[in-house]
Amino acid sequence: MRIFALKEYARVDGSTGSLVEREHAPDLEICERSVELHAGANQYVSFQVVVDTSGAPVTSFALELRDLRGESGGTLSASEADVFVEWFHRTNGMLVPDLLVPLSAAFPFRVPLDERYMPDQRAGALWIDWFVPEGLPPGDYRGTFAVRANDEERELELHLRVYAVTVPRRSRMTADLNAYADSISPEFPELRDNPDRYEDGSFFEMEAKVVRMAREHRAVYHNLGYRHSGKVTPSFAPELEGEGKRIRVKSWELFDRHFGPYLDGSAFEGSRRGAYPIEYLYLPFNLEWPARFEKWGKKGYRTETRRILAEFVRHFEEKGWTATTFEIFLNHKKQYRFYPFTIDEIWYAHDEEPMKAYYDLIEGVYDATPVEFVYRMDSSNYYGTHSRNRFADMCKLWVVGEGMYSWFPESAPSMKAKGNTIWIYGGDVIGSLERDLLTLFTWPMQAFMTGIHGFTVWNAFGHAGLDYLAKPNAGEIILYPGARLGMHEPLPSIRLKALRNFMQLADVMAGTRGTDIEFGGPNVHAGVKRIVNRHYGYEDGFEWWRATPDFVDTPPRYWDFSHGGAVHRACSPKFGEGRSPRTIERVGKDVLAYLEAQGWVEENR
C-alpha cells in the first residue's frame, strides 16, 4: 500500500493509481514525505491525500491533521481545515475524481468507495481545504499530519509559507456560473415532486445553499429565470395584473421573499466572504414578459414594458437595492422556433433590429436612478462590429466568445472607456474531466492579461437527468446535487475548489490595476503580468491575443465554421497549450513573493 500527497493541480486515476495528467507526470510533484504550500492571508490552500491500495480494499481509515506552528509564534489551527472524500467518475477508460463529499461518519473514506460505480477502484483520495485567516503573521508554518489505512500508517510533514499579502473579501474579477430557469428542482426529488415548492419556500432554501456555495468559492451563481419560450419560472417575476396603461405589479411578496436575502446580503450572513449583496441578477424582462409578444411592434407593447420597468426602478429604490447590477437580457433564438429572430448571439444583420428596437422601448426609464440596470449583449460573430457601433453605447454588459474576442485587442480599452463590462466564455471553460486543470486556471489569467472583467461558465448546475455519479455533464457542470447520495444539499467539485483557488490569486492580481498611476514607484501591475508571461512562455504577452483574420469583414454567414475550418484555425491555439499543470503553482508562488517584496497592501473591504 502506498500513501502520498498531491498538490491541487494533479489528480490520481482511481483505476490505476497513476496520474490523470499522464503526459505531464514527470513534471508533477508526488509528495511522499512532505507537502509545501504557499498562500496569502484570507486564502484557502488545498492538497490531497492519496491511498493506492494496489487492489486490496481499505475498510479502516483515519486522518489526523495537526496545528501548524509559525516561526514567529503564530499558529494555524487544524480546525480551519475541511476534508472531502473524492468521488471517481468513469471517463475515457479512467476513474477521474471530481465530486467532493464531506468526510463524516455517515460518509467515510474507503476503497472501493462504491461497489456499483467503481468496483475496480484501487486508489482513493481526500481533498483538504485549509483556510489561512486574516491576522495570521506572515512567515513559515510547519507541522505534520498522520494517515492510517488498515494497518498502514504514514506521517507527512506540511510546510506552509504565508506571504504578507491579503486576498480581498470582495472579488475584483467575476467568475460567472450561469444557469437557466429552475435547473435545481429536477435534481432533488423532494423539490421536483412538490408543486408548491416556490410558495412554501423549499425551493428558495435549496437555491440559497447553491448561491452561498458559489459565493464561498469566489463565484456568482447567475440564474436566468425564464425559458427560451419566454415563460418565466414562478417567483422569478412579480405577479402582474391589468394590461396597457392599467398594467401594474399586483404583488411583490413572492419575488421579494425569493430575492430579497440576496439583494440585501442577508443570505450570506456567517460566510467568510461577507454578507454583502449578490453582484449580478437577471431580471425577467424578455420578449414575452411583461408584454406578450403578440403585441410586438404595437404601442401597447411599449407601454406595458416601460410601465413595469418603471415599477422595478421604484421598488428597488425603496428597498435600497443599489449594490447589485440588474440585467435585461434577451435570450431568444430562432432555432427554438418561438420567435422569428435570434437576438442572443446574433448571426444575421437583420436580427440586430429587434435588439435595437427593444432598447428604444426601455431607453431613459432607468437613467436617473442609483439602482444599476444594464442592457446585456451576448455576442461573438458580430463582436468586432458591435464593439465599434451603437451597440457599444446601448449595451453595458457584454459576454463574448473568447476566440472571437481575442481577434480584437483594441476593443478592450475602447469598451471600458464607455463604461462597459466584458466577460468571455467558451465551450471549454472548465473542460472535460480528464483535461488538466491548467485549462481552468487560464481563464482568469486571460481575463487579467487582456484587461477585462471576468468569464462565464454555462449551465453550471443542471445535469438533465444524467447519472452524474457515473459520468457527469462535465463540460459545463461545476456544482453537483447531493440527492443521489441521500444528501439534501449541493456538493462542490474538484474543479469548483480549483476555480476558487485560482480566483483568489486572480482577485489579488486584478487589484494591482492602476498601481503605476495611483501609487507611483514600480508598476506593480506590469510586474505581475511579466510573471504570468514568463511562466506561460510568452515573451511580450501579445500571445494572449490572436491575429485578426481577414474574413471578419465579410458577414458571418459566409464564414467556414467546420471543424478545422477558417474560424476554428483562427481561434487556435488554446492559451497555455503544452504547458505543465504545475504552471499553476509556479505563477501563484512567484506572484505572492513579488507582491510581498514590493510591499503590496490592498485594503480588504
Side-chain angles (χ1 to χ4, degrees):
M1 185 177 297
R2 184 183 178 203
I3 299 173
F4 59 94
L6 284 176
K7 303 288 185 69
E8 65 185 356
Y9 52 72
R11 295 156 297 165
V12 68
D13 175 358
S15 62
T16 66
S18 60
L19 295 184
V20 171
E21 299 80 7
R22 294 173 184 175
E23 63 180 299
H24 301 287
D27 188 51
L28 304 183
E29 183 180 3
I30 294 176
C31 307
E32 299 276 9
R33 296 182 177 86
S34 64
V35 184
E36 182 178 306
L37 302 172
H38 301 263
N42 195 43
Q43 178 176 345
Y44 285 93
V45 290
S46 304
F47 64 98
Q48 300 165 82
V49 172
V50 178
V51 178
D52 183 354
T53 71
S54 300
V58 172
T59 57
S60 174
F61 180 85
L63 171 70
E64 182 185 357
L65 298 175
R66 299 159 182 159
D67 295 349
L68 302 183
R69 306 294 180 183
E71 59 185 356
S72 59
T75 299
L76 179 58
S77 172
S79 65
E80 298 283 3
D82 298 310
V83 184
F84 300 84
V85 179
E86 298 184 8
W87 181 278
F88 290 76
H89 312 265
R90 199 167 298 280
T91 305
N92 291 341
M94 294 187 288
L95 284 176
V96 180
D98 194 49
L99 168 63
L100 296 176
V101 186
L103 177 68
S104 67
F107 200 92
F109 178 89
R110 55 190 179 272
V111 179
L113 191 56
D114 188 283
E115 289 285 358
R116 175 186 172 191
Y117 286 96
M118 52 193 97
D120 56 336
Q121 181 189 11
R122 60 169 275 178
L126 297 171
W127 180 278
I128 299 168
D129 276 344
W130 209 319
F131 184 71
V132 181
E134 289 186 70
L136 189 72
D140 290 315
Y141 288 77
R142 297 182 183 274
T144 61
F145 62 94
V147 183
R148 179 178 56 79
N150 293 345
D151 296 326
E152 185 80 16
E153 293 189 23
R154 287 292 307 277
E155 183 173 274
L156 286 81
E157 296 178 355
L158 183 58
H159 173 206
L160 173 64
R161 177 74 167 90
V162 178
Y163 295 86
V165 176
T166 300
V167 176
R169 292 193 196 99
R170 298 200 182 200
S171 290
R172 307 292 188 255
M173 184 183 293
T174 299
D176 168 42
L177 306 185
N178 202 72
Y180 295 97
D182 178 3
S183 58
I184 295 175
S185 294
E187 306 299 339
F188 291 93
E190 66 271 29
L191 294 178
R192 182 191 61 220
D193 300 334
N194 177 11
D196 301 320
R197 60 186 178 273
Y198 304 108
E199 289 76 13
D200 66 18
S202 56
F203 169 77
F204 301 162
E205 178 185 354
M206 182 61 70
E207 184 196 54
K209 293 178 181 179
V210 175
V211 174
R212 280 179 61 96
M213 178 170 285
R215 165 68 66 84
E216 285 294 282
H217 289 82
R218 307 193 78 84
V220 180
Y221 187 74
H222 197 190
N223 195 80
L224 182 67
Y226 67 86
R227 300 182 180 276
H228 281 293
S229 65
K231 182 180 179 180
V232 180
T233 303
S235 79
F236 282 78
E239 183 182 358
L240 305 180
E241 64 179 3
E243 61 179 313
K245 294 181 179 179
R246 293 181 176 84
I247 195 170
R248 61 183 291 271
V249 173
K250 179 180 180 180
S251 173
W252 286 101
E253 190 275 332
L254 192 60
F255 181 90
D256 288 358
R257 187 152 52 93
H258 184 175
F259 293 109
Y262 305 144
L263 298 174
D264 63 20
S266 59
F268 307 106
E269 288 179 358
S271 71
R272 281 178 166 146
R273 296 289 310 284
Y276 56 88
I278 198 166
E279 296 90 336
Y280 290 90
L281 188 76
Y282 285 113
L283 294 180
F285 288 83
N286 71 85
L287 295 182
E288 180 67 10
W289 194 96
R292 298 288 301 273
F293 183 66
E294 63 194 34
K295 298 180 181 181
W296 177 259
K298 299 178 182 178
K299 184 179 179 181
Y301 192 95
R302 172 185 174 87
T303 298
E304 293 181 5
T305 301
R306 290 179 67 87
R307 283 184 62 83
I308 296 303
L309 181 55
E311 288 209 38
F312 271 75
V313 174
R314 287 193 297 271
H315 185 67
F316 291 1
E317 285 181 349
E318 291 169 359
K319 289 290 188 178
W321 292 338
T322 59
T324 299
T325 297
F326 296 99
E327 298 154 74
I328 298 172
F329 173 55
L330 305 181
N331 185 42
H332 303 289
K333 297 179 177 69
K334 186 185 301 183
Q335 62 263 40
Y336 290 100
R337 301 185 180 182
F338 292 108
Y339 301 94
F341 31 68
T342 294
I343 308 180
D344 174 40
E345 297 286 358
I346 289 174
W347 272 82
Y348 300 102
H350 59 259
D351 287 335
E352 294 177 336
E353 295 310 312
M355 185 74 177
K356 294 175 184 176
Y358 200 91
Y359 180 76
D360 291 339
L361 290 177
I362 64 175
E363 186 177 15
V365 175
Y366 51 78
D367 285 354
T369 177
V371 182
E372 182 73 16
F373 291 86
V374 294
Y375 194 40
R376 167 172 162 161
M377 178 70 173
D378 284 17
S379 179
S380 291
N381 309 324
Y382 275 94
Y383 172 70
T385 300
H386 290 161
S387 64
R388 298 191 300 267
N389 65 19
R390 185 192 175 199
F391 279 83
D393 297 310
M394 294 189 325
C395 305
K396 294 302 174 186
L397 175 58
W398 291 71
V399 183
V400 185
E402 174 274 323
M404 294 167 187
Y405 160 76
S406 72
W407 297 343
F408 302 100
E410 74 284 354
S411 69
S414 66
M415 291 282 276
K416 290 195 295 182
K418 292 177 177 289
N420 297 338
T421 296
I422 303 174
W423 301 337
I424 51 176
Y425 78 91
D428 60 351
V429 177
I430 56 177
S432 57
L433 281 187
E434 67 271 25
R435 176 169 288 178
D436 69 61
L437 295 174
L438 183 62
T439 299
L440 185 54
F441 180 74
T442 296
W443 284 86
M445 292 302 104
Q446 185 182 357
F448 172 75
M449 295 300 287
T450 60
I452 57 172
H453 307 91
F455 55 95
T456 291
V457 175
W458 293 109
N459 199 26
F461 191 86
H463 286 264
L466 294 175
D467 184 354
Y468 51 84
L469 296 181
K471 184 176 181 180
N473 184 13
E476 299 176 329
I477 304 304
I478 200 167
L479 297 97
Y480 289 88
R484 287 180 181 267
L485 295 173
M487 300 178 182
H488 188 71
E489 59 185 311
L491 296 172
S493 65
I494 286 178
R495 290 166 300 149
L496 183 65
K497 295 291 183 182
L499 176 62
R500 176 207 58 204
N501 292 357
F502 304 160
M503 283 295 295
Q504 292 174 146
L505 180 64
D507 282 336
V508 169
M509 292 163 61
T512 67
R513 289 172 176 163
T515 52
D516 54 324
I517 299 173
E518 297 177 18
F519 298 97
N523 186 335
V524 178
H525 181 60
V528 171
K529 293 180 74 172
R530 283 194 296 271
I531 292 171
V532 177
N533 281 329
R534 183 175 74 248
H535 286 295
Y536 273 85
Y538 299 162
E539 292 186 6
D540 59 8
F542 194 77
E543 291 91 338
W544 294 98
W545 302 94
R546 297 180 177 91
T548 306
D550 294 338
F551 58 74
V552 297
D553 294 325
T554 62
R557 66 179 181 273
Y558 297 122
W559 298 359
D560 178 5
F561 284 91
S562 65
H563 182 74
V567 174
H568 184 267
R569 293 194 304 273
C571 289
S572 297
K574 301 297 183 185
F575 300 120
E577 196 168 72
R579 312 304 300 174
S580 167
R582 200 169 183 184
T583 298
I584 296 166
E585 178 184 43
R586 291 163 177 156
V587 171
K589 176 182 175 181
D590 286 358
V591 165
L592 291 174
Y594 170 76
L595 293 176
E596 181 179 68
Q598 295 297 325
W600 170 251
V601 177
E602 183 183 20
E603 180 183 355
N604 199 354
R605 298 183 298 274

